[in-house]
Structure formats: structure tokens, C-alpha cells
Amino acid sequence: MATQISKADFRDAMARVCAPVNIVTTDGPAGRGGFTATAMCSVSDEPPTLLVCMNGRSTQAAMFLANRRFCVNVLTHDHMHLAGKFAGATRDMEARYSAARWQTLASGTPALSDAIVNFDCEIEEVHIVGTHNVMIGRVIDVRHGSGGSALLYVDRNYTQPTGLGSFGG
């Protein structure tokens, strides 16, 4: 029989998992929003699909669900200040957006102009799992942007890749 682990133990263990940092944006009839997320991954390449997890208690959750679209903007290390703003250090949405240059994609979502890559998505499904909305997005467009080192999050800190490790036996 499985043992129940505590929320604190789980969070401490997940803090050890390195993840790329993204800003997820939306715009539409319900308004413009955005948040910082590390919980994003590919689901399928046929059709191109990814998922993003968003806290269902966020004041923006209803906005994302009503707009039915989002853009995942993969950040470089130079975007650390922006990641903090969209993580909640800055509450005012206009102030968040004014801190960077944005383009509007075909779906109407804001795309960070100098992101590594932007994934323009339409929400296909939403699953509620515990405290979070798991948004499944069909990728309708991809914009390849800047180079640069990816902004990563591990041990509750932002970092960047330090070089290529060695692989093999």
C-alpha cells in the first residue's frame, strides 16, 4: 500500500528538478494576462500539443479558460527580471507587459519578442488535478526567436546552463 507523503516533502523533492522558465500569456475577450511557469511540456507532435499547469486559485485562471488560448514564451537568462515580475513580484499587468517588447501572434496572444521560442496555442482540454488546471494546448504556430542561454529554475533559484555535460559510457 502506498504511503502518503506530505505537501512539504513533495515540494522539497520537486525543487530539486531542473526546469526551463516560461512566461505564459493570453489575451482575448476576458482580458490580457500572464504568469511565470515551469510546469510545461510537450504532449505530442502529431498533432503538435503541449500542456501547461496553472494554479486554479489564481485570479487569472478564469481569464485563461475564457480566452481559450495561450502563448508559451521560453525565456533566456536575460529575462530573469521579467520572470520575477510575471511570478507575482509585480501585481499590475500593464507594468509586467511594459517591462519587455511583445508581438501579437495570429491567435491574438502576446509573444515575447526576444524569447528563445514562442508556442501559440488554442486550449483543447482542461483537466483539474488537485489545485491546478492542466491546460492542453494545440500548437497552431511556432516562432523561433533569439539564441542565448535558457533560464532554468532549480533548488528554488534561477540559473543557466553551465556547459555541455558528457554523455555515454
Side-chain angles (χ1 to χ4, degrees):
M1 178 173 249
T3 306
Q4 180 91 18
I5 65 166
S6 72
K7 175 181 173 180
D9 284 343
F10 179 71
R11 290 179 70 136
D12 288 344
M14 288 305 298
R16 306 288 309 272
V17 177
C18 185
V21 181
N22 312 282
I23 291 177
V24 184
T25 58
T26 191
D27 201 352
R32 182 169 71 164
F35 67 98
T36 300
T38 55
M40 183 282 287
C41 69
S42 166
V43 174
S44 173
D45 64 357
E46 212 172 284
T49 309
L50 55 77
L51 69 79
V52 172
C53 298
M54 178 183 199
N55 192 319
R57 290 178 253 169
S58 167
T59 57
Q60 298 184 64
M63 175 192 313
F64 272 80
L65 299 180
N67 285 342
R68 304 292 302 167
R69 56 188 172 220
F70 61 83
C71 179
V72 175
N73 301 277
V74 181
L75 304 184
T76 70
H77 195 289
D78 294 336
H79 295 123
M80 189 182 312
H81 71 286
L82 199 58
K85 289 180 186 305
F86 277 83
T90 301
R91 293 276 179 221
D92 180 63
M93 197 59 65
E94 283 305 312
R96 290 181 187 187
Y97 275 97
S98 68
R101 287 186 4 253
W102 302 87
Q103 299 175 317
T104 302
L105 299 179
S107 71
T109 59
L112 182 61
S113 296
D114 59 346
I116 292 173
V117 65
N118 312 95
F119 296 94
D120 196 15
C121 301
E122 292 179 349
I123 295 177
E124 296 251 316
E125 299 177 45
V126 177
H127 300 275
I128 298 171
V129 180
T131 57
H132 280 65
N133 294 334
V134 180
M135 300 183 294
I136 308 294
R138 183 173 50 86
V139 180
I140 59 171
D141 195 15
V142 173
R143 193 184 71 75
H144 299 273
S146 71
S149 296
L151 181 60
L152 305 175
Y153 193 74
V154 65
D155 289 331
R156 295 184 175 93
N157 289 297
Y158 294 117
T159 188
Q160 66 181 344
T162 57
L164 298 176
S166 60
F167 296 93

